[in-house]
Amino acid sequence: TLKKCASDEINYLLNAWRGPFDESQDFVYDNFNVEIKTISPSNSVVKINSLYQLSVPLNKELYLGVIQARLDVKGTTIGDLYEEILVIVDSLKGKKQIFLDALMAKGLTSSTIVKYCDLKFKLIENYFYTVNESDFPCLTPKNVNSAIVDATYMLDLGSLAKYETKI
């Protein structure tokens, strides 16, 4: 989606990527947030790692994005994506340092990314689910006993069809 954005939007989109800075959700925009999970095509569950990942922010929408990807010798490496993003940001006159700072927050640099260049992935499909529904199956600080301070759980995607949406 970076390729499709206008030059003045690129820095906004780069700044929205908050996952590397350990915020509750991966992407934080003005009107909505998105939590992203990646699974293999043979998997039908996602792992939710805290009570906050699917906790709907005040006065905002929250979406769960699920990306299906598989290992594929004709696929794309993390290094390929890194280079592609830098080229796109540069072509749109964005601030590459925003992207580089996010990677650095997780200890990734141009020299450490090469460790992942032997793994190639192919995107199969992506799905988005609206989490805002009051009956969306999730554990959050609002719906668990206050004595529970953290939880990790698996969410079955097969039961989420009624929440599927486009964003």
Side-chain angles (χ1 to χ4, degrees):
T1 60
L2 286 181
K3 289 180 189 177
K4 298 176 185 175
C5 76
S7 294
D8 59 344
E9 294 176 302
I10 189 66
N11 293 331
Y12 171 74
L13 294 176
L14 292 170
N15 279 313
W17 186 29
R18 305 307 303 159
F21 301 102
D22 297 328
E23 292 203 17
S24 297
Q25 284 105 26
D26 292 312
F27 291 89
V28 176
Y29 299 100
D30 292 340
N31 299 319
F32 65 95
N33 291 1
V34 182
E35 176 60 29
I36 300 290
K37 298 296 180 184
T38 304
I39 61 171
S40 68
S42 61
N43 203 348
S44 64
V45 297
V46 294
K47 184 176 182 180
I48 307 302
N49 295 306
S50 82
L51 294 174
Y52 297 93
Q53 282 189 325
L54 297 182
S55 182
V56 179
L58 188 62
N59 300 320
K60 286 178 127 181
E61 301 276 333
L62 176 62
Y63 300 100
L64 171 63
V66 178
I67 299 169
Q68 273 188 343
R70 64 177 159 81
L71 289 172
D72 188 315
V73 295
K74 296 179 181 175
T76 304
T77 69
I78 300 292
D80 295 337
L81 289 175
Y82 171 84
E83 292 297 332
E84 183 180 340
I85 290 169
L86 287 177
V87 167
I88 292 168
V89 171
D90 196 45
S91 72
L92 294 172
K93 300 187 182 355
K95 295 178 182 174
K96 290 189 275 190
Q97 197 59 48
I98 298 169
F99 175 64
L100 297 173
D101 288 347
L103 292 176
M104 181 57 79
K106 290 300 178 191
L108 292 171
T109 64
S110 59
S111 57
T112 59
I113 281 183
V114 297
K115 292 191 297 188
Y116 304 100
C117 286
D118 58 333
L119 297 173
K120 292 185 175 193
F121 297 90
K122 182 170 176 92
L123 174 69
I124 305 301
E125 188 71 62
N126 58 31
Y127 306 92
F128 289 94
Y129 303 93
T130 303
V131 179
N132 297 55
E133 303 293 331
S134 61
D135 63 340
F136 189 90
C138 61
L139 300 176
T140 71
K142 290 180 183 177
N143 66 13
V144 299
N145 186 294
S146 62
I148 299 171
V149 295
D150 197 18
T152 299
Y153 59 98
M154 304 300 280
L155 187 57
D156 178 18
L157 298 172
S159 64
L160 301 182
K162 76 178 195 174
Y163 306 103
E164 196 168 344
T165 190
K166 302 262 188 237
I167 63 169

